[in-house]
């Protein structure tokens, strides 16, 4: 058979589409699913975002700051029954990676838990005393 110049499959274009007698034809929507994007690395994008997320290191307070913070803590212990409003800046450790971030919270102090060494605010939030870098007490 001599082929014409141009499309080598031109002679096949007019042939009927083959249909299997043993297997039913796949529905059109299922055929389309075969060509959906494939994510070979499931979770990769999330891992990249997590690695790119910036955390801070916990700073070490100098002696003057420690003395000032200790003095404020003693003043606060005397006023805890009055349930003063406090503003606390503390280091919140990151649950997934090394480091964390500094958070500032204002609220009514419910108690200072001497067993767990935490401030307990009226809204139930607990702040570890060892992570506090700044403490302000509102005077009534």
């Amino acid at each position: 058979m001599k082929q014409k110049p141009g499309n080598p499959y031109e002679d096949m274009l007019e042939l009927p589409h083959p249909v299997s007698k043993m297997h039913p034809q796949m529905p059109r929507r299922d055929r389309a699913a075969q060509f959906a994007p494939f994510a070979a690395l499931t979770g990769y994008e999330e891992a990249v975002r997590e690695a790119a997320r910036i955390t801070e290191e916990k700073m070490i307070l100098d002696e003057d700051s420690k003395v000032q913070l200790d003095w404020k803590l003693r003043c606060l212990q005397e006023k805890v029954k009055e349930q003063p409003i406090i503003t606390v800046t503390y280091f919140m450790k990151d649950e997934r990676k090394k480091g964390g971030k500094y958070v500032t919270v204002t609220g009514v102090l419910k108690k200072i838990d001497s067993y767990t060494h935490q401030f307990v605010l009226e809204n139930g939030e607990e702040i570890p005393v060892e992570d506090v870098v700044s403490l302000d007490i509102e005077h009534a």
Side-chain angles (χ1 to χ4, degrees), residues 1-11:
M1 178 183 239
K2 188 176 179 186
Q3 289 189 3
K4 300 177 192 175
N7 186 349
Y9 302 106
E10 197 167 346
D11 61 331

Side-chain angles (χ1 to χ4, degrees), residues 28-92:
R28 190 167 255 185
R29 67 178 159 77
D30 292 342
R31 282 191 310 213
Q34 295 180 60
F35 302 101
F38 173 68
L41 300 173
T42 304
Y44 177 74
E45 290 296 322
E46 184 179 329
V48 169
R49 277 193 301 276
E50 179 63 25
R53 190 170 51 88
I54 297 172
T55 57
E56 298 177 63
E57 287 188 33
K58 185 176 181 180
M59 64 177 153
I60 310 273
L61 295 177
D62 61 23
E63 286 303 314
D64 289 339
S65 298
K66 287 180 184 178
V67 168
Q68 186 178 13
L69 194 57
D70 188 52
W71 179 79
K72 287 181 179 182
L73 182 58
R74 280 189 263 121
C75 290
L76 187 59
Q77 285 174 327
E78 293 173 5
K79 297 181 180 213
V80 75
K81 289 181 181 176
E82 300 170 20
Q83 294 189 328
I85 297 173
I86 60 171
T87 299
V88 181
T89 301
Y90 68 101
F91 184 75
M92 180 184 287

Side-chain angles (χ1 to χ4, degrees), residues 17-31:
H17 179 74
V19 178
S20 173
K21 294 176 184 174
M22 296 184 72
H23 303 288
Q25 193 169 6
M26 183 184 286
R28 190 167 255 185
R29 67 178 159 77
D30 292 342
R31 282 191 310 213

